[in-house]
């Protein structure tokens, strides 16, 4: 496969994995989410809170967009994360940077994720994620 084709395939695989993490069924399942998060995962959420791998797996079902009782209504017809303008670039072999925006019940955020695939692994895992709220007056 040519380098450009491989880069396109890597970006597409990371986008697919990112979209899976926005799915309420995946967010509500520790086992499914654990396959997509890197063991060294860190997130800085839109609230400014820092999350580790274990903290995120413990909380994810109850966060917005999940299936739990903590405000995430996912499959019960409540708000869902609606992504837009998603794109990515390969920063180095095995590292993809994605950027996009989400709307969640009228709350917008700009998001940035780093995905990595370690040697010997076939799947991509989210290594880092950051969300920044977009004020209502901003474009």
């Amino acid at each position: 496969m040519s380098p450009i084709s491989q880069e396109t395939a890597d970006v597409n695989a990371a986008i697919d994995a990112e979209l899976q993490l926005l799915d309420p069924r995946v967010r509500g399942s520790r086992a499914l989410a654990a396959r997509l998060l890197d063991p060294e995962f860190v997130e800085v959420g839109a609230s400014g809170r820092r999350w580790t791998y274990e903290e995120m797996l413990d909380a994810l079902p109850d966060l917005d967009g999940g299936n739990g009782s903590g405000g995430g209504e996912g499959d019960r017809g409540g708000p869902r994360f609606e992504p837009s303008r998603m794109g990515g670039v390969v920063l180095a072999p095995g590292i993809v940077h994605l950027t996009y925006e989400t709307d969640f019940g009228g709350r917008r955020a700009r998001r940035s994720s780093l995905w990595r695939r370690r040697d010997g692994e076939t799947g991509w895992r989210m290594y880092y994620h950051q969300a920044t709220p977009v004020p209502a007056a901003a474009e």
Side-chain angles (χ1 to χ4, degrees), residues 51-131:
W51 299 85
T52 65
Y53 175 80
E54 284 298 327
E55 290 169 336
M56 184 56 72
L57 288 177
D58 288 344
L60 197 55
D62 292 327
L63 293 175
D64 286 344
N67 290 325
S69 59
E73 299 178 24
D75 288 338
R76 296 187 302 235
R80 293 177 64 114
F81 285 100
E82 298 296 335
S84 63
R85 301 160 133 185
M86 191 175 289
V89 295
V90 173
L91 298 178
I95 304 287
V96 170
H97 179 219
L98 299 181
T99 57
Y100 64 103
E101 293 185 13
T102 56
D103 184 294
F104 183 83
R107 294 184 317 209
R108 292 181 46 225
R110 291 193 176 102
R111 297 180 179 273
S112 176
S113 299
L114 290 176
W115 288 82
R116 77 176 175 182
R117 184 181 61 213
R118 293 184 171 180
D119 289 340
E121 292 184 0
T122 57
W124 288 88
R125 291 177 171 227
M126 183 184 282
Y127 175 73
Y128 180 80
H129 183 79
Q130 183 161 352

Side-chain angles (χ1 to χ4, degrees), residues 35-56:
R35 282 189 251 157
L36 294 169
L37 296 179
D38 190 275
E40 296 176 7
F41 169 82
V42 173
E43 175 174 328
V44 177
S47 67
R49 179 176 173 177
R50 182 182 184 279
W51 299 85
T52 65
Y53 175 80
E54 284 298 327
E55 290 169 336
M56 184 56 72

